[in-house]
Amino acid sequence: MVTGNRQAGGRVAVVIRRLEEALLDGSFPANAKLPSERELAQRYAVSRNTVREAIQQLDARGLVHIRPRSGVFVSDQLRTGAPSPWAQLIADSPARRDDILEFRRVLEGATAYFAALRGTDEDLERIRAATARLEQARRDGNHAGESRVDVELHEAIAQASRNSMFLHLHSSITKMMREHIIRNVDGLRELNQSVSENLALQHRTICDAICARRPEEARTAMQTHIDYVRSRFDAEDD
């Protein structure tokens, strides 16, 4: 009996680790519905009871939410939790705008590089779809929608990097970056139509380089994009 309990506990631990890995690498993104118990049991070659116990433990830790009659959903705790006081202070300080852009240049240049190097076909399709929605929003003159999809595109690129640390770091400051893009870049789009057109061209260049699996070009395109945003802010300040 003791041996059986240990074996069962070991199987539960294995399933928990597999699910944790999927949460970390973005296979199961925030708010996504997990596959059914049957599907997970088949995937991990364990019983449905083992899957159920693993999910209950993840639920107790706040990593997933069990919704009766609806299923199990990934918590947004890892991706969109409340920002730290430091992050909020940075986001609310216009004087720190250059710091944010400098940080984004390094981080997102790297995520673009690795997205081109490691992104799956599904990742690349997600990037293409976000780029297409971004271009449609620009054609429609929907500046708020354009900025919202702008954020989604950058998030898709981070996920495609297939580096759990990049993804976690990017996601942990998503709220700050989302506010930065929507609050500042949205204003640039509204003030100058050519800015919107240039941003669209830059995003298309980034997308094309990633989807063509050209890492160096992807990184350069992303850094050029961030540099352009900084230059436009400088011009507006003058």
Side-chain angles (χ1 to χ4, degrees):
M1 179 66 72
V2 173
T3 300
N5 289 338
R6 286 178 178 172
Q7 291 175 340
R11 287 192 291 271
V12 170
V14 169
V15 173
I16 289 174
R17 283 197 297 272
R18 296 286 296 277
L19 289 171
E20 287 173 339
E21 289 171 2
L23 296 177
L24 285 171
D25 68 16
S27 298
F28 296 148
N31 301 311
K33 183 178 180 179
L34 292 186
S36 67
E37 285 183 2
R38 176 183 296 178
E39 292 176 87
L40 290 174
Q42 292 175 344
R43 181 180 302 187
Y44 301 140
V46 296
S47 70
R48 292 177 64 177
N49 283 339
T50 297
V51 170
R52 187 175 302 118
E53 185 172 344
I55 287 175
Q56 288 172 347
Q57 292 191 32
L58 292 176
D59 178 61
R61 292 164 54 193
L63 297 177
V64 300
H65 296 307
I66 300 173
R67 300 178 188 171
R69 296 183 297 278
S70 295
V72 181
F73 294 81
V74 180
S75 167
D76 61 3
Q77 180 173 308
L78 285 176
R79 300 284 180 260
T80 57
S84 68
W86 175 85
Q88 191 63 53
L89 182 63
I90 290 289
D92 291 340
S93 173
R96 300 281 75 79
R97 188 177 61 203
D98 281 349
D99 290 348
I100 294 175
L101 287 168
E102 188 173 87
F103 176 78
R104 285 187 59 196
R105 190 181 194 276
V106 174
L107 175 64
E108 298 195 65
T111 58
Y113 177 93
F114 286 108
L117 197 65
R118 301 171 178 160
T120 65
D121 290 342
E122 183 179 354
D123 290 328
L124 301 188
E125 181 54 38
R126 190 179 299 111
I127 291 170
R128 291 190 191 96
T131 303
R133 293 198 306 276
L134 188 62
E135 292 172 344
Q136 184 60 53
R138 185 185 69 81
R139 288 192 292 270
D140 293 342
N142 182 359
H143 297 299
E146 194 175 353
S147 292
R148 183 177 62 254
V149 181
D150 188 333
V151 176
E152 293 174 6
L153 173 59
H154 286 271
E155 291 174 348
I157 292 171
Q159 182 171 341
S161 72
R162 291 292 149 185
N163 181 304
S164 60
M165 288 304 300
F166 281 148
L167 179 60
H168 178 70
L169 183 58
H170 189 281
S171 299
S172 68
I173 60 168
T174 290
K175 185 175 186 294
M176 179 176 69
M177 294 176 69
R178 182 183 296 271
E179 290 178 355
H180 175 258
I181 290 175
I182 292 177
R183 182 187 305 169
N184 296 300
V185 181
D186 195 23
L188 290 180
R189 287 186 169 110
E190 291 181 355
L191 287 171
N192 193 326
Q193 181 60 30
S194 67
V195 169
S196 181
E197 294 171 356
N198 287 334
L199 291 173
L201 177 60
Q202 291 161 18
H203 284 120
R204 169 53 61 185
T205 301
I206 294 167
C207 173
D208 289 346
I210 291 174
C211 292
R213 299 191 181 280
R214 296 194 292 265
E216 290 292 353
E217 288 183 30
R219 174 161 51 196
T220 298
M222 179 64 80
Q223 291 177 336
T224 298
H225 166 60
I226 301 297
D227 289 342
Y228 174 78
V229 172
R230 173 180 280 179
S231 73
R232 293 310 308 167
F233 282 138
D234 290 343
E236 293 296 331
D237 289 342
D238 292 341

